[in-house]
């Protein structure tokens, strides 16, 4: 394994861990601070998640800042990274996300792992995840492939904050985050039985967005989330 890949894996693991810590931790805090107002809890959870995303992408984008297996798969489909690196990065994201949940649980004196009992199933929620992930991928690669990599942190943070509210599923939009959130029986949790459908819908949303990105930006070089530009399929 090269030093460059090791650095990228570390950035993805740490970044995804802190992202999930922000999601789960702010959810726990929101319930404790605003126990009688679910709307306020969601507002607090969404604002903290969006702010954390902006900070993490700004800090880690020079190395790697996908934090999301769907985004990484789209990078691979656009020829920005190799299949081997894609697999390694997704593993790092899933491990990092799970560690982030454990950290959030422990910070709030809960069991390190406590499987969620929060049912999130149904056609409306599944459609919400397709929409949420479609929009996220469009925002990410629309920014990158139009040559504005410096705005990705703000577009992603702003989009996720908004999508918490306009999607029925509260916009998980991330398989690594979805898997991680099943380990906390708190506000942000999702029961294990609900995870496969959510992840499947996220992949569908990402695939549909990939088609649109290719249509809108057909001649644009592949751009990674570290801001570098590579010719199409050059890293296959």
């Amino acid at each position: 394994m090269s030093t460059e890949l090791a650095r990228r894996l570390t950035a993805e693991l740490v970044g995804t861990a802190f992202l999930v810590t922000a999601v789960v931790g702010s959810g726990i805090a929101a319930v404790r601070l605003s126990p009688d107002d679910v709307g306020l809890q969601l507002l607090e959870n969404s604002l903290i998640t969006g702010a954390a995303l902006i900070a993490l992408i700004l800090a880690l984008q020079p190395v790697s800042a996908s934090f999301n297996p769907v985004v990484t798969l789209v990078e691979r489909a656009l020829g920005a990274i190799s299949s081997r690196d894609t697999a390694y990065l997704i593993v790092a994201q899933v491990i990092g996300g799970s560690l982030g949940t454990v950290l959030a649980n422990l910070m709030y004196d809960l069991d390190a792992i406590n499987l969620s009992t929060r049912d999130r199933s149904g056609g409306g929620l599944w459609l919400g995840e397709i929409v949420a992930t479609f929009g996220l991928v469009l925002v990410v690669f629309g920014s990158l492939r139009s040559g504005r990599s410096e705005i990705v942190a703000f577009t992603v943070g702003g989009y996720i904050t908004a999508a918490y509210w306009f999607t029925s599923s509260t916009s998980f939009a991330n398989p690594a985050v979805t898997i991680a959130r099943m380990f906390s029986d708190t506000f942000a949790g999702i029961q294990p039985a609900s995870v496969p459908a959510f992840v499947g819908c996220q992949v569908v949303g990402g695939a549909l967005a990939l088609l649109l990105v290719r249509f809108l930006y057909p001649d644009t070089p592949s751009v990674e989330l570290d801001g570098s530009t590579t010719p199409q399929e050059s890293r296959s």
Side-chain angles (χ1 to χ4, degrees):
M1 180 184 297
S2 68
T3 301
E4 178 187 359
L5 178 58
R7 289 173 57 242
R8 297 181 65 194
L9 293 175
T10 301
E12 289 292 335
L13 188 149
V14 172
T16 312
F18 268 94
L19 171 58
V20 174
T21 301
V23 172
V24 176
S26 64
I28 298 170
V31 171
R32 293 184 182 182
L33 294 170
S34 310
D36 302 317
D37 192 333
V38 177
L40 185 55
Q41 293 168 9
L42 184 62
L43 178 62
E44 293 161 349
N45 195 206
S46 64
L47 290 176
I48 293 336
T49 300
L53 265 171
I54 292 171
L56 290 167
I57 294 173
L58 285 174
L60 296 174
Q61 188 176 7
V63 182
S64 186
S66 298
F67 315 144
N68 187 330
V70 169
V71 172
T72 299
L73 287 170
V74 172
E75 287 186 286
R76 174 64 193 100
L78 293 172
I81 56 177
S82 69
S83 297
R84 183 203 64 171
D85 287 2
T86 298
Y88 282 140
L89 290 166
I90 290 173
V91 170
Q93 291 158 356
V94 172
I95 292 173
S98 299
L99 291 175
T101 298
V102 170
L103 181 59
N105 287 338
L106 291 175
M107 284 197 299
Y108 285 94
D109 295 321
L110 302 174
D111 292 338
I113 295 176
N114 189 7
L115 292 180
S116 177
T117 58
R118 191 179 183 100
D119 178 35
R120 297 182 189 263
S121 60
L125 295 181
W126 298 333
L127 179 59
E129 274 305 285
I130 294 174
V131 171
T133 312
F134 180 95
L136 175 62
V137 171
L138 180 60
V139 163
V140 169
F141 290 95
S143 300
L144 289 174
R145 291 171 75 85
S146 60
R148 297 174 296 167
S149 60
E150 72 281 356
I151 70 169
V152 171
F154 303 102
T155 56
V156 170
Y159 174 80
I160 289 298
T161 301
Y164 258 72
W165 290 88
F166 74 74
T167 64
S168 56
S169 62
T170 66
S171 186
F172 283 46
N174 185 327
V177 170
T178 303
I179 291 169
R181 286 169 68 166
M182 74 180 182
F183 297 121
S184 185
D185 192 18
T186 58
F187 180 80
I190 177 173
Q191 69 176 15
S194 299
V195 169
F198 260 53
V199 171
C201 289
Q202 290 157 4
V203 172
V204 170
L208 292 173
L210 170 62
L211 295 176
L212 181 59
V213 167
R214 278 183 157 158
F215 175 73
L216 294 176
Y217 303 97
D219 301 318
T220 308
S222 297
V223 181
E224 294 184 69
L225 280 172
D226 63 1
S228 61
T229 302
T230 58
Q232 284 282 27
E233 305 302 330
S234 66
R235 297 195 176 190
S236 60

